[in-house]
Amino acid sequence: MKALITGASSGIGRDIARVLSTKGYELILVARRLDRLEDLKNELSCDVQTVSLDLAQEESCFRLYNLVKDQEIDILINNAGFAVYGDFDQTDLGKELELINTNIKAVHILTKLFLQDFKQRDRGYILNVASSAAFLPGPLMAAYYASKAYVLRLTEAVHEELRKTNSKVYVGALCPGPVHTEFAKVASIKFGVKALNSPHVARYTVDQMLKHKHLIIPGVVMKAAFIFTKIMPHKILLSFLYKIQKEKFV
């Protein structure tokens, strides 16, 4: 059994690699920082391949697929992604385009290419890492929230297509709230609610994925928040979210 994980050099991606390693999976770990990947490889007891690529570059997505397509991947974890914080008219456009390429385009490309292979074999798992941000508009993190909404809606739609054809291929979305990773440091924010432990989130995620749970929301607080967003008036919700986002700035 073999799993490919993008964004595997830190955070949830790294911890999912650790979990899958204990379950006997061979791993293909992908990220920009090869030194981090090699450190993780040396830590794990399973067979590990490391691939240094920047998935913000479209050609890198196709290069990755062509590199591994003959290895019969069983699990694809689309985890690579990052956020940009600030008023939309003030944030750096180049950085936002890189965000869109990483959070949306790379997920779209890899999901499609591997799904085509998985459907032919009628087996395989694709887990797209979205966020609790996918359920909401995100003033002061507009591009990030919108990108995760794309990931969630794409995943849900593909899941339904597979269900209607009785396919055995799994496609699901992970929608965590705040998690203790490097994410906040990179985005220059602080979390407004207590963050979850990344290894716990990874163990829960793998367990739910292997049970074919198509929407994975770790933690009681985020499950409650998901319900809360469904009943709160939209105007009040937007105002509340702006206040929460404003308090994130470091």
Side-chain angles (χ1 to χ4, degrees):
M1 299 180 295
K2 187 171 293 187
L4 187 155
I5 306 171
T6 70
S9 61
S10 64
I12 295 174
R14 179 184 60 194
D15 288 323
I16 287 177
R18 289 168 172 157
V19 173
L20 290 175
S21 173
T22 65
K23 292 182 177 295
Y25 283 86
E26 298 177 13
L27 300 175
I28 303 173
L29 307 179
V30 184
R32 292 178 300 175
R33 296 175 292 187
L34 183 59
D35 58 333
R36 293 283 193 94
L37 295 178
E38 290 296 327
D39 287 343
L40 181 57
K41 176 180 179 178
N42 293 333
E43 171 192 327
L44 301 176
S45 57
C46 64
D47 181 66
V48 178
Q49 301 174 52
T50 58
V51 181
S52 176
L53 285 173
D54 181 4
L55 296 181
Q57 307 299 319
E58 181 178 317
E59 61 270 20
S60 292
C61 300
F62 288 100
R63 182 181 172 191
L64 174 61
Y65 172 74
N66 288 326
L67 186 66
V68 304
K69 65 181 180 180
D70 295 327
Q71 297 192 43
E72 289 210 6
I73 306 299
D74 298 286
I75 298 176
L76 168 66
I77 310 286
N78 278 315
N79 174 69
F82 68 96
V84 174
Y85 181 91
D87 288 290
F88 185 70
D89 65 316
Q90 298 296 318
T91 46
D92 181 78
L93 179 58
K95 199 68 177 174
E96 286 177 324
L97 292 176
E98 184 181 350
L99 178 154
I100 290 168
N101 288 340
T102 305
N103 294 15
I104 295 178
K105 185 182 284 188
V107 172
H108 187 111
I109 292 171
L110 294 176
T111 297
K112 180 179 285 287
L113 294 176
F114 281 96
L115 178 63
Q116 290 169 343
D117 290 344
F118 288 2
K119 284 192 71 176
Q120 285 186 355
R121 304 201 305 261
D122 199 26
R123 63 179 176 86
Y125 294 79
I126 298 175
L127 180 71
N128 293 329
V129 179
S131 167
S132 58
F135 306 131
L136 305 162
L140 301 180
M141 291 181 73
Y144 175 75
Y145 275 59
S147 73
K148 292 304 184 180
Y150 182 95
V151 172
L152 176 60
R153 297 311 180 196
L154 175 73
T155 303
E156 288 181 317
V158 175
H159 168 81
E160 182 63 12
E161 291 174 4
L162 293 169
R163 190 182 71 84
K164 289 294 188 182
T165 59
N166 295 313
S167 173
K168 294 180 182 178
V169 178
Y170 164 90
V171 175
L174 169 62
C175 295
V179 178
H180 282 299
T181 67
E182 294 180 358
F183 174 88
K185 181 179 178 181
V186 172
S188 298
I189 60 173
K190 57 183 178 181
F191 294 128
V193 298
K194 184 178 180 180
L196 294 176
N197 175 269
S198 180
H200 166 74
V201 170
R203 289 191 298 271
Y204 178 81
T205 297
V206 172
D207 177 70
Q208 294 296 294
M209 177 187 70
L210 294 178
K211 291 178 179 177
H212 285 239
K213 180 73 171 179
H214 84 278
L215 180 59
I216 303 171
I217 307 175
V220 174
V221 172
M222 282 302 110
K223 287 183 173 69
F226 174 63
I227 297 171
F228 181 67
T229 62
K230 299 294 185 181
I231 61 177
M232 179 179 277
H234 195 67
K235 185 175 180 180
I236 296 175
L237 181 62
L238 274 170
S239 179
F240 174 75
L241 287 168
Y242 181 87
K243 182 177 184 299
I244 292 295
Q245 297 291 83
K246 193 72 172 177
E247 292 173 355
K248 286 182 177 180
F249 183 66
V250 176

